[in-house]
Amino acid sequence: MSFFNDSAEVIAFAAQIDLDEVKAQFEKLFIMQRYRDVMHIEMPKGHLFVFDYGVLVTWGVNPAKQEQYLVKLKAIAKEMNPVQIDKYHFLKADKEATQLAIIQDKLVLPNLKVDSLLALSHALAQSVKLQHFESRAEQTISSNQYLTTTLAKTGTSPINRKALAKLRAQFFQTKSDILLQYRSLGAPEFVVNFPAMEQLYLDLSMHVALKARIEFLNRKLQTIQDLYDLFAEEQNYTHFSFLAWTTIILITTIMLLLLFK
């Protein structure tokens, strides 16, 4: 197995990409193999793994060639996302090893078999995809920070019912998009069926803290939901209070009219 260099790059670039279109784009040039949600492309020097949730993982690929292939993938991708990139270096362990070793950003692999690269690519792809979800949650929190600040200072909601309904609808769309793509963050079926590959996947997913980050992301989403619920309750209270006082004034007016009739 030959590599151009010792660089491994993980590039999130889209929400989705059709692997059949990926095959049509590259099958005349390289050896290809599909593994459910990922397409493996074997090059003369290096390997590409294209995940259907819009992530490319490269191992030892010529940077100039890699950029060319990424341009082709972007051309057939659906719903482009801001590009996010993680970079690592890799090498094979000198002695007979069965486990992955990680030293800073260097991955010391027990072997360079395609199955091993695939298992590791799953964890790397999930990590960079999770970054996209985390970024969207952070943006939502930041854009709504003024709401809690104003409420704390004035004790009243800084937005009206219509504006709040719009914000809640936007958040619902964001949350739905994230939940729909959550399937990409679970343990892949491929590695679960092969204990050695599963261990590689688990070791790397632990290193990039996948489980903890997913739990933290869920808490962030719940915090945003709680914030909107708080404002909805405050506005409902204000609305019902207004209706109550309106009713009291109306009844009082009617009674006075009847009294002095």
Side-chain angles (χ1 to χ4, degrees):
M1 185 176 291
S2 179
F3 298 93
F4 181 84
N5 55 31
D6 67 346
S7 177
E9 293 195 17
V10 193
I11 308 167
F13 60 93
Q16 185 180 1
I17 189 167
D18 189 330
L19 296 184
D20 289 333
E21 292 188 31
V22 173
K23 182 179 180 181
Q25 186 72 241
F26 292 95
E27 65 179 344
K28 293 182 180 179
L29 302 174
F30 307 111
I31 299 173
M32 305 181 69
Q33 176 65 48
R34 180 166 181 171
Y35 301 87
R36 195 171 181 179
D37 62 347
V38 57
M39 183 71 75
H40 169 231
I41 304 174
E42 183 176 347
M43 305 174 60
K45 288 190 175 182
H47 294 262
L48 303 177
F49 293 92
V50 184
F51 290 82
D52 66 0
Y53 48 85
V55 176
L56 169 67
V57 182
T58 70
W59 296 87
V61 177
N62 182 321
K65 295 289 186 182
Q66 176 177 304
E67 186 60 33
Q68 292 176 13
Y69 304 145
L70 182 58
V71 169
K72 290 184 178 182
L73 291 173
K74 287 181 177 179
I76 58 176
K78 300 175 182 177
E79 191 181 337
M80 297 298 298
N81 288 336
V83 174
Q84 292 178 291
I85 303 175
D86 283 347
K87 296 183 178 182
Y88 300 85
H89 292 282
F90 69 95
L91 57 88
K92 183 183 179 302
D94 293 333
K95 57 184 180 179
E96 194 68 28
T98 58
Q99 292 185 323
L100 172 72
I102 303 171
I103 305 172
Q104 295 181 344
D105 66 342
K106 183 167 290 186
L107 307 176
V108 184
L109 282 56
N111 61 71
L112 297 175
K113 296 178 181 178
V114 172
D115 288 352
S116 297
L117 297 181
L118 175 58
L120 296 171
S121 294
H122 270 289
L124 294 173
Q126 289 173 342
S127 178
V128 77
K129 192 67 175 182
L130 184 55
Q131 287 180 35
H132 172 67
F133 297 153
E134 291 167 333
S135 177
R136 291 186 66 178
E138 284 293 341
Q139 289 172 4
T140 303
I141 291 174
S142 297
S143 64
N144 288 281
Q145 191 171 5
Y146 76 97
L147 296 175
T148 53
T149 302
T150 304
L151 182 61
K153 288 181 178 180
T154 66
T156 58
S157 173
I159 55 176
N160 57 35
R161 292 169 66 87
K162 183 177 180 179
L164 178 60
K166 184 177 180 180
L167 285 176
R168 296 182 80 177
Q170 291 172 345
F171 171 67
F172 178 78
Q173 182 63 53
T174 298
K175 187 176 181 180
S176 296
D177 289 345
I178 292 175
L179 292 177
L180 284 173
Q181 296 188 57
Y182 248 37
R183 66 172 182 81
S184 65
L185 301 180
E189 183 178 328
F190 165 79
V191 300
V192 172
N193 295 330
F194 298 90
M197 300 303 100
E198 182 180 21
Q199 192 57 53
L200 284 175
Y201 166 79
L202 292 175
D203 288 344
L204 187 50
S205 63
M206 184 177 296
H207 175 73
V208 297
L210 273 181
K211 184 177 180 180
R213 288 164 60 198
I214 290 172
E215 291 175 353
F216 190 47
L217 175 61
N218 282 328
R219 288 200 294 270
K220 284 182 178 180
L221 294 175
Q222 187 57 52
T223 297
I224 299 170
Q225 183 67 62
D226 291 343
L227 173 65
Y228 288 149
D229 289 346
L230 173 65
F231 280 106
E233 290 176 6
E234 192 272 340
Q235 289 189 348
N236 285 336
Y237 172 79
T238 302
H239 181 66
F240 289 137
S241 178
F242 172 77
L243 290 178
W245 278 107
T246 301
T247 302
I248 292 172
I249 293 172
L250 180 60
I251 293 174
T252 302
T253 301
I254 293 174
M255 291 180 65
L256 289 173
L257 289 174
L258 291 174
L259 181 64
F260 292 102
K261 186 174 180 181

